[in-house]
Every structure is written in C-alpha cells, then in structure tokens.
Amino acid sequence: MSLIYTLSKKILHFKQPAGTSRGVYTTRKIWLVHLSECDKTGVGECAPLPDLSCDALPDETYEAKLHQFCQALCETGEIDADALRPYPSMRFGLETALQNLQKGDLLFDTPFSHGEEGIPINGLVWMGRYDEMLQRMEEKLEKGFRCVKLKIGAIDFEQELDLVKRIRDRFSFHEVELRLDANGAFKYEEALYKLELLSQYAIHSIEQPIRQGQWAYMAELCRESPLPIALDEELIGVNDPEMKSHMLNIIKPRYIILKPSLHGGMMGCREWIEIAKQQGIGSWITSALESNIGLNAIAQFASDVYGPHITMPQGLGTGQLFTDNIPMPLEIVKDKLMIKKTQ
C-alpha cells in the first residue's frame, strides 16, 4: 500500500456560544487528516476538546504526535491500535480517513448510510441564562423532538428545576423523554438530594452528576439514586480493556455514553459497548462538537453498532452548531438525522 497523507488545521465558529459547566465555547479547533492512494482519497477528523480530552495537548505537540502516527500508517497501511490507545481523537481521525479511503462515502453498509433510514436523536439545550434555556427548549419541542437533553449546572438549581417542571407540565413522559447532563457540576454532598428532587419529573437519565475520578462516591450514587445515572467524562482516559471492565464493575451505572473522539475511537467504543453489555449496562453514542466530517462518521458508526433499526435516541444533533461547518449531505428531519440520498 502506497499511502500519502496531509494535515490541515481548521477553526470552526459557533453560531451561539456553547455553554457547559466547564465554560463556554465560541470556537472549535480541529485537524483534518487526508489520505490518498492513486486516485482514491479519504478524510478523517481529529478533534480533541480542551481541558477534557486525554489527548488535548498543546498544538505543536499534538501535531507532531499526529504526524508520527500518520507516517506510521502510511508506512504499514495499518493503524497501530496499542500505540493509539492514549490518543482517542487521533485514533478516530485515522480510522475515519482509512475507512473513507477504502469504502468511499459508504463507511458502513447500513440503511442509514444508504440514506434509507434516519437515526433518532435528542434535541440539545445548551446551558445559559434561564430565559435563553427556556427559549431553546421551546424551539426543540416545537420542531418535534421527542427526546430533549438539557445541560444543567451553570445557573441556579431552582431555576433549572423549574425548566424541567415546565416541560413536564406540557408533555408527559410518554410524549417527551427528558435527559439531563450535569457535566460533573454537583458536589457529592448535595448530589443525592438534587437527584431526588429531579426524580419527580420522570427523567430518563442524568449524565455525570459529580466530577469524574470519584469512583466510590459515584458507585454510591448509582446505588442510591432514584434516577438512572449515565457515565460520560468518567470514561475518558480509561483505555485498557481490563480497567474498563473493572471500573464498570465497581460503579455499576445504568448507562455509558460514548464519544469516539474521547473514548478510544471506533475501536475503543466497540470495546466499551461489549464490556458494558456483558455487565447489563446500556449505552448510546454522541458526537463531541466535531464538524460534519466527524459527525457523519460517528452517525454511520452508530448505525453499524446499533442498527439496522435504531430506536434509542442518539446524541447526534450537533451538525448545525457552526457558521462555517464543512458541507456534508446530513440533515435533521423532525427528530431524526438523515443522509440525503444522491440522485
């Protein structure tokens, strides 16, 4: 195999500031890996998140390491799985580029990839002021989303509780599924009390109620919480299969939420899903603020992992966040992500 690669860095700009409990994003930095062989090309996206990804290195260091892995791929024609375990965003970008090179636009042979079937997604409501969050929530409901994910932890908890109550006053849990994401914002001492208050409103699940790295506290919350708890940030940096199994066995969450750019690329996510399944733990896949290049790959990957007919909403509604996104044939129709069929 005679492969050639090039790297390009791109800055994406959010249409509206994206607020989380860790801060507010206004721009997004990504690297695109282009692979070519004869007349075929493939592209993949490497998109580490600052202060979150385990491979969020200084730009020069990140690029040097990425060049190293690209050169090794071009020399051998294969991805070095073990060497890339600590670098999930790079792993995902190289996986996608190689898959795109070998398979073309049809990364996985599924009904979704063929444009025949959509993937149900949740409507995402970012953190902000109370009036902003209320407006965003109303917009998602009006567009027909049957699953809404609300990021909490940035404003007064009583106001966030009121937002949840407003949804339930209008829509029963049969009509709208509610998911919450605390991004580790709760203090352990107050977490169970807050979870009990939220449980009045038929919540599907809450992601990462306390910050990661507190396995004993998180295990206790999973045992005592009236709400199902899902792990997200907790999985970051846990790259060894034995450690994955060990952690899930200790904490015993109801769900894990997987982002290929954060949790080991497609290979690492498949490991997580299989290990979780063996322990009776559910999962779903979400994007991590990638451009449409990454989102397309993640969605096709999800359709392969959970397909052919996905019923659980995935977290794939991020394609309309940027003013300067990379064009791809993706569209949201009501509450489903679709690939537009080519004529």
Side-chain angles (χ1 to χ4, degrees):
M1 181 177 288
S2 178
L3 290 175
I4 299 172
Y5 81 92
T6 59
L7 290 182
S8 60
K9 184 165 69 173
K10 184 175 177 62
I11 305 294
L12 302 173
H13 299 82
F14 284 89
K15 294 178 181 177
Q16 297 177 337
T20 75
S21 61
R22 291 182 299 273
V24 178
Y25 293 111
T26 57
T27 61
R28 181 75 165 99
K29 189 184 303 175
I30 65 171
W31 283 264
L32 297 178
V33 178
H34 297 266
L35 288 180
S36 61
E37 182 185 30
C38 299
D39 60 344
K40 295 191 298 180
T41 61
V43 61
E45 177 177 353
C46 303
L49 278 167
D51 302 320
L52 185 61
S53 298
C54 61
D55 57 354
L57 306 169
D59 285 7
E60 290 185 5
T61 307
Y62 188 91
E63 285 191 20
K65 183 61 69 172
L66 185 53
H67 274 295
Q68 176 186 326
F69 288 128
C70 288
Q71 288 166 359
L73 171 59
C74 288
E75 289 170 4
T76 65
E78 297 180 352
I79 291 173
D80 189 335
D82 289 334
L84 275 159
R85 279 189 182 275
Y87 306 97
S89 67
M90 298 185 200
R91 166 87 200 197
F92 176 59
L94 292 180
E95 285 176 324
T96 302
L98 190 59
Q99 190 88 341
N100 189 205
L101 177 73
Q102 295 172 344
K103 305 290 186 180
D105 293 339
L106 200 70
L107 302 180
F108 296 95
D109 188 10
T110 67
F112 170 78
S113 299
H114 283 281
E116 298 168 353
E117 191 165 319
I119 297 176
I121 61 175
N122 59 246
L124 178 59
V125 176
W126 289 98
M127 290 179 179
R129 298 192 312 270
Y130 176 83
D131 57 332
E132 291 174 334
M133 294 179 71
L134 181 60
Q135 179 184 350
R136 293 167 188 166
M137 184 178 69
E138 295 283 353
E139 289 171 354
K140 297 299 180 185
L141 296 173
E142 287 171 5
K143 287 180 179 178
F145 282 94
R146 295 175 56 83
C147 177
V148 176
K149 174 179 170 178
L150 190 66
K151 282 187 173 285
I152 62 174
I155 62 174
D156 179 73
F157 179 72
E158 294 300 323
Q159 290 185 311
E160 292 173 335
L161 202 62
D162 184 62
L163 282 171
V164 174
K165 181 179 183 300
R166 280 174 177 261
I167 299 178
R168 277 291 167 255
D169 285 344
R170 287 182 52 195
F171 300 96
S172 73
F173 68 93
H174 296 292
E175 296 171 297
V176 173
E177 180 179 285
L178 272 181
R179 296 175 178 175
L180 303 179
D181 183 2
N183 285 127
F186 295 168
K187 295 178 181 178
Y188 165 71
E189 295 78 11
E190 63 187 17
L192 189 57
Y193 172 68
K194 289 183 175 181
L195 295 176
E196 288 172 349
L197 291 177
L198 290 165
S199 68
Q200 309 172 68
Y201 302 110
I203 306 298
H204 172 271
S205 58
I206 183 167
E207 296 177 37
Q208 205 70 42
I210 61 174
R211 62 178 174 81
Q212 67 266 38
Q214 305 178 88
W215 290 12
Y217 286 159
M218 187 67 85
E220 183 178 343
L221 283 180
C222 288
R223 287 195 304 271
E224 302 296 331
S225 172
L227 290 182
I229 289 176
L231 301 186
D232 180 358
E233 289 91 341
E234 200 75 63
L235 312 179
I236 296 172
V238 182
N239 300 312
D240 178 74
E242 290 186 9
M243 186 59 70
K244 292 177 181 180
S245 180
H246 180 60
M247 187 193 75
L248 293 183
N249 189 51
I250 289 174
I251 297 179
K252 293 182 171 59
R254 185 76 63 88
Y255 302 102
I256 58 173
I257 301 170
L258 297 163
K259 299 176 173 70
S261 291
L262 294 177
H263 301 133
M266 292 185 272
M267 176 207 69
C269 286
R270 287 188 191 277
E271 277 185 358
W272 275 115
I273 291 167
E274 185 58 34
I275 292 168
K277 191 183 297 183
Q278 292 171 4
Q279 298 190 27
I281 297 168
S283 65
W284 67 87
I285 288 173
T286 82
S287 52
L289 307 181
E290 294 88 356
S291 78
N292 279 333
I293 298 290
L295 176 61
N296 173 65
I298 294 167
Q300 291 201 46
F301 171 64
S303 72
D304 184 63
V305 171
Y306 298 127
H309 309 296
I310 299 177
T311 56
M312 175 176 278
Q314 308 293 300
L316 303 173
T318 57
Q320 300 172 331
L321 292 177
F322 305 108
T323 61
D324 46 4
N325 210 335
I326 298 166
M328 292 287 288
L330 297 170
E331 62 179 342
I332 296 176
V333 181
K334 285 193 172 181
D335 64 344
K336 289 187 176 182
L337 182 68
M338 305 280 296
I339 290 181
K340 297 178 185 177
K341 278 189 175 183
T342 56
Q343 298 300 319

